[in-house]
Structures are given as structure tokens and as C-alpha cells.
Amino acid sequence: MNNIRKNRLKDQAFKVWGIACTLLGLILLLIFLGNIFMDGIQRINWSFLMNLPSRSPEKAGIYTALMGSLWVLSLSTIFALPVGIAAAIYLEEYGKKNKLASILEVNISNLAGVPSIIYGLLGLEVFVRIMEMGASVMAGSLTLGLLILPIVIVSTREAIKAVPKSIRDASFAMGASKWQTVYLQVLPASFGGILTGVILAVSRAVGETAPLIVIGALAYVPFAPLTPMDQFSVLPIQIFNWITRPQPGFVENAAAAIIILLFITFVMNGIAVYFRNKWQKKLK
Amino acid sequence: MGKEKNESVIESSLKRKYKLQAKDVNVFYDDFQAIKGISMDIKANSVTAFIGPSGCGKSTFLRLFNRMNDYVDGFRMEGKIFIDDQNINKKKINVEQLRKQVGMVFQKPNPFPKSIFENVAYGLKIQGIKDKTFLQERVESSLKQVALWDEVKDNLNKSALTLSGGQQQRLCIARTLAVEPSVILMDEPTSALDPLSTAKIEELIHELKNKYTIVIVTHNMQQAGRISDYTAFFYIGEIIEFDKTNKIFTNPEKKQTENYITGRFG
Amino acid sequence: MRRIKEFVIEKLLLSSALITIAITIGIILVLSIEAFNFFSEVSIIDFLTDTEWTPLFTNKHFGIMPLLSGTLLTTFIAIAFAVPVGLSISIYLSEYAPRSFRKTIKPLLELLAAVPTVVYGFFALMVVTPFLQGIIPGLSGFNALSAGLVMGVMIIPYISSLSEDALHAVPYSLREASYGMGSTRLQNSFRVIVPAASSGIIVSIILAISRAIGETMIVAIAAGQQPRLTFDPTVPVETITAYIVQVSLGDVQHDSLEYRTIFAAGITLFIFTFLLNTLSHQMRKKFREKYE
């Protein structure tokens, strides 16, 4: 076989290999999801959603964990959203050329790479202990808020960057101040992108387990939180807890809870993608 | 601007010979000198055209009058710019106030991604004007001035981005007119438009001249010849000749001007 | 009046941005102070050289090596799986695949990174381990192999997406030159494009390593809780992150030595990931300068 034919064969072989690799991850994911689905789908019913945790697998439900997740996600968004948007506005519109801005940028990209469990250690020391919040919803929300802050900042910056310079020029030429231009033109125009970023940040936060375990969110919480200072659990911690229990009934519970968690995660991702497309069309 | 509140309009405009003035202006971008020693006097209610090859400083000079160059890195200016006998680079001058007096239309139409109504009302809203009736009246009169009212009056809430290029540019002019400036700066306003839209806008400029002082940068010499009263020929940061348009195009003083006009270089 | 308002607004926005610096300072301070307290009781030599980690037993050892080896072992397995697969995907998508395929597949692949890690942990323990036990006799119920492989699946998009961007950024003119001389796509890819995009590809690998080192739930669920200085993938081990979880779930007194061990472990983890992230940032700067 001469060289040219050999090379062609190698080329084709790699093509096949490439397709196989591409599909491998997705096929594995499908297998995993299918498996989970089969294990857990039976278990999902209204009582599963509404029940409190219990020592017996048939009676246990995810109600407290769902409520805990709802509380924590809402509060952490309330913390991270204004701070993140404000920081992004500063970096994109005000602080462009100074040295501080480049330090801030490096710092933010660093924070985005810090393992989430480290945020848990930070939250444990500062919120739970020094500020004496205990292992409360408040401490958990602040911790998660810090974790998703870099995500909100980065995606808001992207959204702001996408607004064409010509719009700012037109606004300044009409005598608008910098803040008027940001508030009346840039922010409304980047709204879709910011919304997308927030939804993605929340869909990431809903699955976070380690930092909340570290601050002391309990695995067995027989009540739903009523105030921000109450103790709490969240859905992924509930799943983790059930996985570690020996009784076989709990495996089904875990699988069922995973289905719920994945449903929430994928729906949010889908909504984010939908909004991103809608917003990108609007700017054109 | 202008402290002559008690004199009549005629008296004050007789006193003020020129609307816009530049005295010994040099402009630098870091080490590069973009404008070399330009002085110029522009009369009120006239149309002045800046012509010349690309990169000769026409836009830079134009933007001195609304201080849009302030945003460019490395920008530095020597000399003075006067509007209504006031030096606009003094510290006490409020740049935002200046830009309400001096409007600008850009080369590529840049309407805001908002409704037609919101676009025209923007300049008023940023001044804090909220009265709905007032806004509606002003928007209507501005759109009528640019001959866009009949085309859009039933669709004021549609996005401005749905308009054609020519319509968008007229919208941008209407937006500028809504705040009732006295000067309008135009930076190649028709170079991105088709001939029909261009003609409509040239007609508009001709009508606007009665109420406003207009300075227009243009690459299109025929356009300068059609619509302007005075023309300035720029070449590499200097003004080679500045005179009545008629004279520039039929009997220029300088050979260089003649060469450019007749197309020997460009 | 207006000027004052603008000034105040600018300073408010600045203070929001400065919160991010406060977070970094907070992390460094918290880890350092507690680690310092830890090292006032445990010598740093012991910490670095002791081969056992048993802070919760009566006979206490505080050697970080077992946890470190657990972390590195699982990371190594994950990378060994994800790099060939991820790189092949990126080359295929960048040089072979039709545009429409690329557009559909890319978001699907990024889905792999969006799955919560506790779900991956479930897979590793309930699906992968039993499966592998059929192939590898003597594979224990908790082991580094299952956890590492599943981690590898999770980090595929980290490598494939970033590498693909790097490959895509290589100017088309290089491809034209290579194809013009009659090379196949394979030869072109490996001899011309990959070397040209090498710094971007390396950045993606560094980031993937950093992600794997910091991963918690997959290893906490599937790799075990037995700190063991070993590179045997078939036995239970414990990673730094899993140890922190283990202590947090238990009843450890605050202000005790045992409590401080999680910060000693934490600061070790932080140093590793910080160095890796800084390295990748520097490389990314150099890489951008190359093409701009």
C-alpha cells in the first residue's frame, strides 16, 4: 500500500474515532440517565414531594429539602445579583483603563476557579462562627451567593460588552451623563444577557452540595425553614444522604430525587438558552 | 449660554458675528498631530461642508464642537473653540449642557434599540421632562420636521430597528432636533444610504438651514456642492481653503483645491 | 449637583467591585489563620512527610500525603481518560465535522458539565463500580477508578470546548498552506494545527486538572473514606475534599485540633488550584498576544 492510501486510511480511521469520542460522553450520559430513570421514576408521586424525611424509605419525602433549596437559592440570588451587576458595570463602563481594573479582572477569574468547597470553609468561619449565624439558611445563602458572584459578574460583563458602542456614542452626543447612558441604554439593551447569566448561575447553585455540607447544613432536617435563621437542608444534600444509607429503598429515593433535581437543572438551562437566543435577536 | 437675555434676538445676533469659531487649534493623539493650526469662523444659519481625502482630520475637527473627542485615548487639544462667543473647553462648562445645544448625526444610523417614540423622546427624558403631552407634541413636531411623521405615526411603538436605513437616519436627525439645539453636526450622514434616501436628507438639510447652523463632513463633493453655503477643504490636518462654496467649486484660489475638486487626486 | 450624583454612583459601583477582592482576602485569611493555628500544634515536617493521616483516631497522624495521593490518583485517572477523548473531540469538531453538526453537538457536550456532581457520584457508585467489578476481579466497592472515570466524563467539555476554541482560532491560512501541499486532514491537524494551538490546548488541560483536584461529591460518594498512601486504583482512598466533607458531617468541636485539620487540608487544596489557575491565566495571556 503506498503512502497516499495509507494516509487516507489513517485519516478515515481518525474520523471514525473522533465521532466515537464525541458520542461516547453523550451515550454514557444517556445510559446513566436511563438507569436513574428506571430506578427512580416509580417512586415519584405527590407524597414523595410533600413528605418530610423519615427513617423508613417508603415514608420519606423531599419536601424539606425542596423548601430549603428554594430559600437558599432565592436569598443567594438576592445577594449576588445587585453586587454582581454593579461590579460588572464598574469594570465595563467606568474602570476601563486603570491598574485597579486589571487587578480586579485577574482576581475575579481566580475566584471563578476556586473549588466550591473552599467557599464552604470561608462561610463556615466567617458566617457560621464569627458572625454567629449558625448553620442557618442565611449562612448558606451568603456562602452560595459568594460562590455564584463571579459567574454573575462574568456573564453580565459579556452582556454589556455586546451592546454596540454606537449606542453609547449616540447617547453621549445627546448630552446624557455616563450613568444615564448606563441606566437608560446599556442595561435595558443587555437585559436578556444578564437574565441568561443569572439563570445559569442559579442552575449551578441548585446542584451545589459540598460548601453547604461544610457550613453545617444537615442531612436530616424534619422541618421546612420558616425564617432565614432556621436550619435547613437542600435537595442535593438529601440525595447524598440517601445514597449513603444502606437500606435498598433509599437508593430508589435517591434516584427519584435525582430525577427532580435534573429536571429543575435542565429546565433552567433550557430557559436560559431560550432567553439568550431571544436577546441576541433583539440586538440585531 | 449667552448672557444677553434682555436684548432682542436680532440685536444679539448682530453682535455675535459668528456662531462657531476656532482659533489656532492643534489636535494631537499621543504623538500624532491630527490638526495643524486651524482657525475658522462659521456664520449662524449656514451650511458649511468639510471636504477632503480620508484621514485628513475632518471628523476630528467636527467633533471638537461637541467635545466627542474627549473619549478618545491620547486626545490633546491646543487653541480655543467658541460657540456663541463662549470658550467651550473651560472647566466650568457643563459638557452635557453643551451637547443639548450642539447635536450630532453619525455616519452609520444608530437608533437606540427602543421604540420610535422612545428614540425621539430620549433627549427630553434625560433632561427630566416627564410631561406626556409635552413629549408627544415634541416628538410629533420633530418627526414632521424630518418628513417621517406620516410614515410612522401609526407605529410609534414599533422598534426603531424595523425602519429602513434612510428612515433610521431621519429618525436620528429627528431625535437631535427634539431637544432644539442651535447647531447640528453631521459626520458623513448619507454615506451609508441609498441615493433616494440621500436625496431626501439633502432636501431636509436645506430646510433645516433656516433654523439651525449646520456643519457637515462629506466625502461626496457633489453633495457639498449641492447643499452647502461654505466649504472648507482639509488636507492632512490643515485647511487649504475655506470660502463660499460657489467660489471653491468654480474658481478656487489654491491649485491643490482645484486638483482635488477636479479629481486629480483623492 | 449632577456631578455629585455621578461621583457617588461611581464610588458605589466601585465598592461592589471591591467586594470581590474582599472575598479573596477573606479566603486567604481564614485558611491561613486556622492553618497557622494547626501548625502551632503539628510540625510542618510531619505534615509533609508522615505517611498516615489519622487525625480522628486515638493514635493521631497528620501526614497529608495519603490525602494528596488520593486526590492526585483520582485526578490522574480522570485526566488520562478525558484528555485523549476531549482532544479527539475537539480536533474532530474543528477540522472534520460539518458546521451544523458542530453547532448541535457543542451545547450537548456542555450539558455534561452542567449535571450536578452528586448525580455523577450516584452513577459512579451504583452503575460504574458494579460494572467494573465484573471486569476487574477484586475491585472494591469504593475505589479510585470508578470515581476517576466518572470525573473524566464530567470534565470532557472543559477540554473539548476550550481546545476547540484554540484550534478554531488558528488562522485559516495555515490550513490552506498545508492542504495546498496535499496533506490529509489528519496530517494537517496533528502536524500543523495542534502545535499552533498548543498553548490554548495546554490551558484547557490545566483548567481541567484544577477542576478535578477541587471536585468533591463524586469522590466523596464513590472513592471511599480511607486515607491511604497508594497509587492502586482498585482500593478505597480518600481525597482532600472528601476528608473535609467527612469531618463536616461528623461531630467535631470547633476550636479543636481535629477541626483545624480541615483548614490545613483546605489550604493545601487552595495552593494547588491557585497555582494551576495562575499558570493557566499567564499562558492564556501569552496565547492571546500571539494572535492579536
Side-chain angles (χ1 to χ4, degrees):
Chain A
M1 202 183 317
N2 64 18
N3 260 336
I4 294 188
R5 277 189 71 191
K6 232 202 274 187
N7 285 332
R8 283 234 186 99
L9 264 168
K10 280 194 212 166
D11 190 56
Q12 285 298 95
F14 184 81
K15 189 174 173 188
V16 172
W17 167 252
I19 298 182
C21 286
T22 308
L23 297 177
L24 174 68
L26 294 172
I27 291 178
L28 282 175
L29 188 64
L30 271 174
I31 294 177
F32 291 155
L33 291 179
N35 205 287
I36 295 256
F37 202 73
M38 288 199 301
D39 277 347
I41 191 67
Q42 309 277 26
R43 190 72 188 80
I44 295 181
N45 49 44
W46 192 245
S47 66
F48 181 70
L49 292 175
M50 294 302 287
N51 278 356
L52 309 175
S54 154
R55 305 232 178 263
S56 110
E58 301 81 37
K59 294 205 203 123
I62 54 174
Y63 182 70
T64 62
L66 269 181
M67 288 298 114
S69 282
L70 193 61
W71 267 96
V72 170
L73 288 177
S74 315
L75 283 183
S76 58
T77 309
I78 291 177
F79 295 138
L81 194 59
V83 175
I85 293 180
I89 292 176
Y90 181 80
L91 286 169
E92 281 300 310
E93 302 286 328
Y94 287 83
K96 269 273 143 157
K97 302 290 174 180
N98 51 28
K99 243 203 152 196
L100 181 63
S102 52
I103 295 179
L104 284 169
E105 278 192 33
V106 172
N107 185 51
I108 289 173
S109 88
N110 235 305
L111 282 179
V114 169
S116 58
I117 200 169
I118 303 272
Y119 282 97
L121 290 174
L122 176 67
L124 175 64
E125 192 81 337
V126 174
F127 301 129
V128 175
R129 295 197 53 210
I130 296 180
M131 295 175 88
E132 291 181 0
M133 293 181 190
S136 62
V137 166
M138 191 58 135
S141 310
L142 286 169
T143 306
L144 269 195
L146 292 184
L147 192 139
I148 64 174
L149 186 63
I151 305 177
V152 174
I153 294 179
V154 170
S155 56
T156 304
R157 286 189 75 180
E158 291 300 316
I160 290 179
K161 264 192 232 217
V163 177
K165 181 170 179 288
S166 55
I167 292 183
R168 292 181 185 81
D169 280 343
S171 180
F172 286 132
M174 299 201 66
S177 71
K178 191 158 216 169
W179 175 245
Q180 281 176 322
T181 302
V182 167
Y183 187 67
L184 295 172
Q185 295 295 348
V186 177
L187 278 184
S190 52
F191 177 72
I194 296 179
L195 187 62
T196 304
V198 170
I199 296 177
L200 286 176
V202 172
S203 78
R204 158 87 191 270
V206 77
E208 280 294 339
T209 324
L212 295 177
I213 293 181
V214 171
I215 63 151
L218 302 175
Y220 188 84
V221 180
F223 50 82
L226 293 169
T227 78
M229 299 315 284
D230 285 340
Q231 292 183 320
F232 70 107
S233 180
V234 291
L235 194 52
I237 292 184
Q238 183 66 277
I239 294 172
F240 174 66
N241 175 257
W242 279 338
I243 293 176
T244 58
R245 300 275 196 90
Q247 296 101 315
F250 283 119
V251 174
E252 274 146 36
N253 286 3
I258 287 179
I259 295 177
I260 306 282
L261 179 62
L262 285 178
F263 178 73
I264 297 175
T265 307
F266 287 154
V267 162
M268 281 203 274
N269 268 301
I271 294 177
V273 170
Y274 169 73
F275 270 118
R276 174 185 285 156
N277 287 339
K278 207 170 162 204
W279 162 68
Q280 274 174 346
K281 277 197 195 130
K282 193 176 174 206
L283 270 186
K284 310 251 170 87
Chain B
M1 292 185 158
K3 295 176 197 153
E4 304 91 332
K5 275 186 224 164
N6 296 320
E7 296 169 278
S8 74
V9 175
I10 301 173
E11 283 171 348
S12 30
S13 60
L14 278 178
K15 264 198 189 165
R16 219 174 290 131
K17 225 183 154 204
Y18 296 108
K19 183 75 180 170
L20 305 170
Q21 285 180 297
K23 287 208 160 71
D24 303 317
V25 173
N26 290 306
V27 170
F28 300 88
Y29 290 115
D30 291 318
D31 293 326
F32 170 68
Q33 185 163 11
I35 301 282
K36 301 173 188 163
I38 292 186
S39 295
M40 180 185 283
D41 300 315
I42 295 179
K43 290 196 182 143
N45 298 111
S46 65
V47 179
T48 304
F50 291 173
I51 62 173
S54 292
C56 284
K58 310 191 292 296
S59 286
T60 304
F61 190 73
L62 186 77
R63 281 159 192 244
L64 291 174
F65 290 102
N66 67 353
R67 291 179 54 178
M68 280 299 275
N69 290 320
D70 288 1
Y71 301 115
V72 180
D73 281 331
F75 168 75
R76 205 178 80 238
M77 184 186 99
E78 292 166 7
K80 300 197 173 101
I81 302 274
F82 296 92
I83 299 184
D84 289 332
D85 292 328
Q86 281 220 3
N87 182 340
I88 64 171
N89 287 103
K90 287 227 147 112
K91 282 235 186 280
K92 66 175 182 183
I93 293 285
N94 183 329
V95 135
E96 283 129 31
Q97 195 53 39
L98 169 68
R99 293 188 184 137
K100 285 156 190 155
Q101 285 282 326
V102 182
M104 176 165 256
V105 177
F106 297 83
Q107 179 176 356
K108 198 161 171 288
N110 53 7
F112 302 123
K114 291 175 186 278
S115 72
I116 294 172
F117 184 88
E118 285 300 322
N119 262 277
V120 185
Y122 183 69
L124 300 164
K125 285 198 171 170
I126 57 178
Q127 292 183 46
I129 298 174
K130 290 188 186 142
D131 185 331
K132 281 203 174 137
T133 331
F134 183 81
L135 290 175
Q136 275 164 355
E137 281 168 8
R138 202 46 95 72
V139 167
E140 183 175 334
S141 77
S142 308
L143 287 172
K144 279 183 174 159
Q145 280 188 71
V146 302
L148 202 51
W149 175 252
D150 287 324
E151 290 169 58
V152 303
K153 66 180 181 218
D154 296 321
N155 292 318
L156 289 178
N157 287 322
K158 269 179 78 179
S159 164
L161 300 176
T162 59
L163 297 174
S164 74
Q167 288 174 319
Q168 284 185 9
Q169 193 64 308
R170 277 185 282 153
L171 179 67
C172 291
I173 299 176
R175 168 175 82 180
T176 315
L177 296 181
V179 297
E180 298 194 327
S182 53
V183 178
I184 303 178
L185 306 174
M186 297 190 171
D187 196 345
E188 302 195 43
T190 59
S191 64
L193 303 179
D194 62 273
L196 190 56
S197 308
T198 301
K200 280 193 181 162
I201 290 184
E202 288 183 9
E203 198 184 312
L204 175 58
I205 294 177
H206 198 74
E207 283 164 22
L208 291 175
K209 172 169 90 168
N210 295 322
K211 286 167 71 179
Y212 308 95
T213 305
I214 298 178
V215 184
I216 170 169
V217 169
T218 178
H219 254 127
N220 183 338
M221 279 189 295
Q222 289 79 359
Q223 180 173 78
R226 283 192 291 268
I227 60 176
S228 65
D229 304 311
Y230 294 87
T231 299
F233 171 48
F234 281 74
Y235 189 66
I236 312 189
E238 295 178 313
I239 293 203
I240 306 297
E241 200 168 336
F242 174 49
D243 213 323
K244 288 208 166 78
T245 300
N246 229 342
K247 181 145 200 305
I248 296 265
F249 280 88
T250 55
N251 186 19
E253 297 273 324
K254 303 262 166 68
K255 194 79 172 101
Q256 227 174 344
T257 315
E258 190 185 331
N259 288 340
Y260 182 71
I261 304 284
T262 54
R264 289 217 188 99
F265 72 94
Chain C
M1 190 61 235
R2 170 68 72 75
R3 260 184 210 166
I4 299 179
K5 184 179 171 201
E6 292 285 315
F7 181 76
V8 167
I9 289 179
E10 183 173 342
K11 292 311 164 194
L12 275 176
L13 295 175
L14 173 63
S15 48
S16 295
L18 290 177
I19 289 182
T20 57
I21 300 211
I23 299 176
T24 306
I25 295 179
I27 291 177
I28 296 178
L29 271 180
V30 164
L31 291 178
S32 308
I33 293 179
E34 288 294 353
F36 179 75
N37 290 338
F38 174 81
F39 285 118
S40 61
E41 289 189 53
V42 175
S43 92
I44 197 161
I45 312 268
D46 282 345
F47 184 72
L48 292 176
T49 59
D50 197 334
T51 57
E52 283 184 53
W53 175 265
T54 57
L56 305 172
F57 294 175
T58 14
N59 180 12
K60 297 179 190 301
H61 286 264
F62 295 97
I64 193 74
M65 294 305 288
L67 291 184
L68 210 48
S69 80
T71 300
L72 292 176
L73 179 60
T74 50
T75 300
F76 178 76
I77 295 172
I79 295 291
F81 175 74
V83 169
V85 174
L87 257 186
S88 304
I89 293 177
S90 65
I91 295 175
Y92 174 72
L93 287 180
S94 173
E95 308 296 317
Y96 288 78
R99 182 156 278 188
S100 50
F101 185 71
R102 188 171 163 248
K103 264 186 130 175
T104 346
I105 281 284
K106 228 177 151 178
L108 286 180
L109 281 176
E110 281 170 18
L111 214 61
L112 287 174
V115 173
T117 52
V118 71
V119 178
Y120 275 121
F122 181 91
F123 298 147
L125 186 67
M126 301 292 176
V127 178
V128 177
T129 297
F131 174 75
L132 287 178
Q133 280 173 326
I135 305 179
I136 304 173
L139 183 70
S140 85
F142 294 108
N143 62 80
L145 186 61
S146 307
L149 285 176
V150 172
M151 261 212 294
V153 173
M154 175 191 75
I155 64 176
I156 285 176
Y158 282 75
I159 295 186
S160 68
S161 270
L162 289 174
S163 295
E164 202 231 320
D165 290 339
L167 292 169
H168 214 66
V170 174
Y172 195 70
S173 50
L174 261 80
R175 291 183 184 79
E176 281 181 321
S178 170
Y179 287 138
M181 291 196 276
S183 70
T184 62
R185 278 174 302 189
L186 182 66
Q187 291 171 317
N188 180 42
S189 304
F190 279 96
R191 291 193 191 184
V192 180
I193 308 296
V194 167
S198 57
S199 46
I201 294 177
I202 293 178
V203 164
S204 76
I205 297 179
I206 294 176
L207 285 175
I209 294 176
S210 177
R211 178 72 187 86
I213 287 183
E215 171 48 38
T216 309
M217 296 319 289
I218 300 180
V219 286
I221 293 175
Q225 285 187 355
Q226 296 180 29
R228 187 180 266 147
L229 181 54
T230 176
F231 288 107
D232 179 353
T234 63
V235 298
V237 290
E238 189 170 45
T239 64
I240 295 177
T241 50
Y243 172 72
I244 298 176
V245 165
Q246 180 193 12
V247 171
S248 303
L249 287 171
D251 275 320
V252 173
Q253 286 282 69
H254 285 167
D255 281 334
S256 66
L257 182 60
E258 291 75 24
Y259 172 74
R260 296 202 184 103
T261 55
I262 62 177
F263 290 92
I267 203 172
T268 314
L269 178 67
F270 182 73
I271 291 175
F272 267 89
T273 54
F274 180 77
L275 288 176
L276 285 171
N277 290 335
T278 308
L279 181 63
S280 82
H281 191 92
Q282 295 295 74
M283 289 199 72
R284 225 189 279 184
K285 264 173 85 179
K286 272 178 99 182
F287 164 57
R288 264 192 211 137
E289 282 161 16
K290 198 175 173 195
Y291 285 118
E292 271 161 31

